[in-house]
Amino acid sequence: MTMGGLTLSVRGDVLVAEIDHPPVNALSALVRAKLVEMLARLGAEERLRGAVITGAGGCFIGGADIAEFDRPPEAPLLPDVLAMIEACPKPVAAALHGAALGGGLELALACDVRVAEPGTRLGLPEVTLGLIPGAGGTQRLPRLCGVSAAMRLIGTGERLGAEAARALGVVDEVAADAVGAAMARLGAKRRVSALAVPPEAPDEILAAEAAALKAGKGRPAVRAALAAVRNAAALPFAEGLAAERAAFLALRASPEAAALRHMFFAERAAQRLPAALRAAPRLVEEVAIIGAGTMGLGIAQATLEAGFGVVLFDTDAGKRAQAGETLRARLAERAAAGRIAPALLSPLRLTLAAGWDGIAPADLVIEAVFEDLAVKREVFGQIDLHAKPGAVLATNTSYLDIEAIAAATARPQDVLGLHFFSPANVMKLLEVVNTPSAAPGLAATGMAFGKRLGKHAVLCGNGFGFLGNRIYNAYRTQCEFMLEDGAWPEEVDAALEAFGFAMGPFTVADLSGLDIAWRMRTSQAATRDARVRHVPVLEALCEQGRLGRKTGAGYYTYANGQHSAGSDEVVRGTILAASAARGIVRRTLEPAEIVRRALAAMVNEAALLLAEGVAARASDIDVVLVHGYGFPRFRGGPVQWARTQDRAALARDIDLIEAATGFGFRRGPLDLLLTETLP
Ligand code: 3H9
């Protein structure tokens, strides 16, 4: 019998309840209500000796329904349903496969027996959503695996494989037929809540706590999760449960949890192409990468690790040989650390090509050469001569016009941008840049390739700097204005780091090297309108040989890899001269003003990008900034930040940056950005 959300069948004398609520069998109000009905039937029918709860489709249960968290809790509440399972006089087992996460694992912990199929992933990832488990996870899990293991799992949100879960006592058995094995194990009731927490050395607990705090950067949810787990050993079950629920409800209502939920859905929405671009992707198995520099090497590593065959082409024989050795060593190291399958090395699907004909077998060619239009056009001319028909031709440019690059070929319909971020084997962001000339299925191919690399692929239109660099440029420019207006680099950096950025803009600039921006600015100098506000500090520093960290000095000075606490006299003198040249009377900028101006610059640019169609949806911008530019995930990206601000205050901030920018400022349509609800 199907009840919508739950399918019941009777096998012998056991009631099998299969949760059937695509896509991930989340424990929505409907499913919870059906579970209550199922328990009533189990109690009422004498012929039934117990029940097995399982999930239809690819997983057991992906957790509570995250979409419900923006609404008031709806009865029956999950903790109450789980209490009913425990109180049921007949035994209930959980048969797990695929994913058993969050509320899904909590449901399994309230059962008397747990059996998992090989390949099941189990975990309580609530902290990644700014929450703690809210249905007994913090109280039941330590009763099975001890406080320190529970702190590690709940405090970091780490997911366990089936065997690891069995070794910890979280599941009773791993079996290919989990339902059958669970039925065989249905015997006496074994309530987890009645078990004693196994004793442990205090040192172990302290170490687990410190590790989770460090991994979770001390965020409120992590601290609350650790406190809740500690309660399990100190308080009676009912009291620990009540404290857990109170902490869960308080966190659920926090802006941080709302921002993390927004990111969860934004990351998934980014995978969906607009209707006009939906088409079957082209098949990609062999990838050619042009250029064995830092970027090419990183892309090659990511591509090999995802199981593709790679041809790495470089005209420089020394660089080529070195690249081969480096890649072999890096992959061996990763395999030894258990991060990739050792089979990827035997044999490593890497070919080093000395000539252009080496790229002929590739389904996808990725150019990663010097960022210069003329150089790239020349390379694409060669690619056009040697790539097979139907191959996708991608450029890793970070801001150049992709159609101008595509025009160097006779097949612009096959050209797209794949903008990786450095180091490409580590950074999770990939901008997939589509052009109006691209064939149907090209964007889909780029997105599918990104997904196979395990990246957050985000679609962008072909506008200068695409999404990320365009917004970052507006932000960085505003930060430079603030130097001229009265702030020192360390004040700007400190304010933005306190907001949550991994690094402030001047620390980032020093780290990536000031010379790239110097080159670009110098090339633009002749054509720059004199009325455009331009802060010449970076150029002045570069002219003094201060190119950033690699030369031992930039905005900061460096010793033993550490930057100085503040800027030195040279930098201050350069900034003071710039202020004086513009006739600015310097004033103190408070951290709050620094943050609001920097963010308003991002928000305004985001509004422009949305209006111009370079961004397909507003939330894509948040995915880009969080995964590529160190924007704090717990704030949900600039669009989410803007949507939580007072509208009038935000408009005033944009007035401020308009005044600070002066000539040429373009105001983005803020209303569009704040209210857009595209899927
Ligand atoms: C919790 O449980 C709190 C409790 O402690 C307390 C209760 C009182 N809810 O990721 P995918 C959607 S907190 C709603 O691409 P995969 C997702 O949006 C929860 N929707 O698939 C997407 O929709 P669309 C703790 C959810 O196969 C679709 O499912 N749980 C949920 O790569 C497919 O998602 C977690 O944090 C949800 N819980 O991976 C686990 N989960 O197609 C979060 C997914 O419209 N989920 N959706 O874009 C996951 O880690 C992965 O989704 C999972 C499947 C591994 C399950």
Side-chain angles (χ1 to χ4, degrees):
M1 180 181 69
T2 301
M3 304 195 295
L6 194 72
T7 307
L8 296 182
S9 59
V10 177
R11 285 202 214 166
D13 52 5
V14 173
L15 184 62
V16 176
E18 184 178 68
I19 299 174
D20 189 359
H21 189 50
V24 298
N25 298 332
L27 293 164
S28 61
L30 168 79
V31 173
R32 299 195 299 271
K34 296 300 172 189
L35 285 167
V36 172
E37 285 178 29
M38 180 278 288
L39 290 168
R41 178 170 167 194
L42 177 64
E45 287 190 31
E46 250 176 62
R47 63 176 177 139
L48 298 173
R49 74 179 166 94
V52 174
I53 302 176
T54 181
C59 76
F60 175 65
I61 298 168
D65 187 343
I66 299 170
E68 280 184 0
F69 291 171
D70 289 320
R71 306 194 288 268
E74 203 179 317
L77 301 177
L78 189 59
D80 298 337
V81 178
L82 303 196
M84 289 161 97
I85 294 177
E86 274 209 329
C88 175
K90 294 179 186 176
V92 180
L96 319 176
H97 73 288
L101 298 172
L105 180 56
E106 292 180 292
L107 181 142
L109 294 172
C111 293
D112 303 278
V113 172
R114 283 156 297 283
V115 178
E117 290 182 7
T120 308
R121 309 290 298 167
L122 301 93
L124 292 171
E126 282 86 347
V127 291
T128 61
L129 293 165
L131 302 170
I132 66 168
T138 64
Q139 304 305 296
R140 290 191 179 93
L141 190 69
R143 287 175 157 79
L144 288 174
C145 68
V147 168
S148 62
M151 281 181 163
R152 185 161 51 78
L153 288 170
I154 301 174
T156 65
E158 183 196 330
R159 296 169 190 209
L160 284 178
E163 274 305 336
R166 196 194 50 77
L168 279 175
V170 177
V171 300
D172 302 294
E173 186 181 337
V174 178
D177 172 15
V179 174
M183 284 171 65
R185 279 181 170 262
L186 277 177
K189 287 285 288 180
R190 180 177 176 259
R191 293 186 179 90
V192 173
S193 62
L195 302 174
V197 174
E200 264 181 283
D203 282 0
E204 265 177 60
I205 295 175
L206 285 175
E209 203 166 19
L213 275 176
K214 187 165 177 229
K217 301 197 174 79
R219 299 308 312 159
V222 176
R223 282 187 271 113
L226 296 171
V229 174
R230 230 179 289 122
N231 283 343
L235 299 178
F237 180 76
E239 283 177 38
L241 200 62
E244 175 202 80
R245 185 73 185 165
F248 166 80
L249 289 175
L251 287 166
R252 202 184 89 133
S254 68
E256 180 155 336
L260 291 166
R261 280 200 290 284
H262 162 78
M263 280 309 296
F264 178 85
F265 288 117
E267 284 162 357
R268 281 154 183 86
Q271 296 176 25
R272 285 192 292 273
L273 283 174
L277 293 179
R278 274 177 221 155
R282 296 186 194 175
L283 191 72
V284 174
E285 264 316 312
E286 300 294 326
V287 180
I289 294 160
I290 315 295
T294 310
M295 209 56 190
L297 218 60
I299 299 171
Q301 183 179 346
T303 309
L304 285 166
E305 288 186 3
F308 292 94
V310 170
V311 175
L312 185 58
F313 168 79
D314 200 296
T315 44
D316 182 328
K319 234 170 154 183
R320 219 167 41 234
Q322 181 63 48
E325 274 174 40
T326 306
L327 284 171
R328 244 167 251 288
R330 284 195 201 166
L331 267 89
E333 199 177 301
R334 298 260 297 154
R339 310 303 293 262
I340 55 168
L344 286 172
L345 284 152
S346 53
L348 185 66
R349 292 178 64 195
L350 172 68
T351 311
L352 299 170
W356 280 107
D357 43 354
I359 73 168
D363 309 304
L364 165 66
V365 181
I366 305 173
E367 161 279 310
V369 302
F370 192 64
E371 188 75 354
D372 178 279
L373 185 59
V375 175
K376 293 209 190 260
R377 281 176 55 88
E378 198 183 312
V379 165
F380 267 75
Q382 288 296 327
I383 295 176
D384 192 22
L385 292 178
H386 296 93
K388 69 182 181 191
V392 175
L393 315 183
T395 166
N396 177 50
T397 178
S398 47
Y399 59 88
L400 295 173
D401 176 5
I402 296 187
E403 285 196 288
I405 297 173
T409 74
R411 35 176 150 168
Q413 73 278 6
D414 292 334
V415 177
L416 101 157
L418 288 180
H419 179 209
F420 287 84
F421 290 73
S422 188
N425 50 309
V426 176
M427 295 290 285
K428 287 283 173 231
L429 179 64
L430 177 69
E431 287 183 326
V432 175
V433 190
N434 196 48
T435 74
S437 326
L442 207 66
T445 309
M447 297 296 286
F449 177 66
K451 187 164 185 170
R452 261 191 74 184
L453 296 192
K455 307 240 179 253
H456 292 286
V458 178
L459 179 77
C460 312
N462 180 29
F464 185 85
F466 316 126
L467 289 180
N469 279 347
R470 173 106 169 253
I471 292 186
Y472 196 79
N473 192 42
Y475 159 85
R476 180 171 159 169
T477 303
Q478 193 59 223
C479 290
E480 291 183 15
F481 292 165
M482 290 193 268
L483 292 188
E484 244 180 21
D485 291 345
W488 301 122
E490 61 272 24
E491 289 170 342
V492 175
D493 281 355
L496 290 160
E497 285 165 17
F499 175 80
F501 276 94
M503 279 183 249
F506 298 109
T507 306
V508 171
D510 269 2
L511 188 63
S512 24
L514 307 186
D515 42 333
I516 301 173
W518 185 27
R519 208 178 310 120
M520 194 195 291
R521 290 174 194 209
T522 313
S523 74
Q524 292 167 343
T527 53
R528 187 181 301 122
D529 189 317
R531 291 167 296 176
V532 169
R533 182 173 180 185
H534 177 76
V535 179
V537 170
L538 180 137
E539 289 93 321
L541 294 180
C542 289
E543 280 157 16
Q544 297 168 70
R546 298 177 69 128
L547 305 184
R549 197 186 184 101
K550 60 187 172 192
T551 56
Y555 288 102
Y556 299 95
T557 52
Y558 293 82
N560 305 321
Q562 295 291 321
H563 77 57
S564 51
S567 43
D568 63 10
E569 289 313 310
V570 177
V571 171
R572 291 189 172 209
T574 309
I575 294 172
L576 289 174
S579 306
R582 195 168 292 280
I584 291 172
V585 180
R586 292 176 63 82
R587 63 180 177 89
T588 304
L589 273 74
E590 295 301 332
E593 182 187 347
I594 293 174
V595 168
R596 292 197 69 90
R597 272 177 67 175
L599 265 73
M602 281 191 165
V603 169
N604 186 60
E605 207 64 27
L608 287 169
L609 285 165
L610 188 64
E612 291 165 15
V614 179
R617 61 176 79 74
S619 62
D620 285 357
I621 291 168
D622 289 342
V623 177
V624 167
L625 270 293
V626 166
H627 288 289
Y629 296 84
F631 196 101
R633 182 181 178 87
F634 68 83
R635 299 214 189 245
V639 178
Q640 169 71 11
W641 177 83
R643 288 179 177 178
T644 58
Q645 301 304 304
D646 174 73
R647 191 78 70 94
L650 198 55
R652 280 197 301 276
D653 292 335
I654 298 192
D655 292 343
L656 258 180
I657 61 163
E658 176 164 18
T661 309
F663 178 81
F665 182 81
R666 286 200 303 142
R667 205 175 176 106
L670 196 56
D671 281 346
L672 174 73
L673 186 77
L674 300 183
T675 56
E676 177 257 11
T677 51
L678 277 182

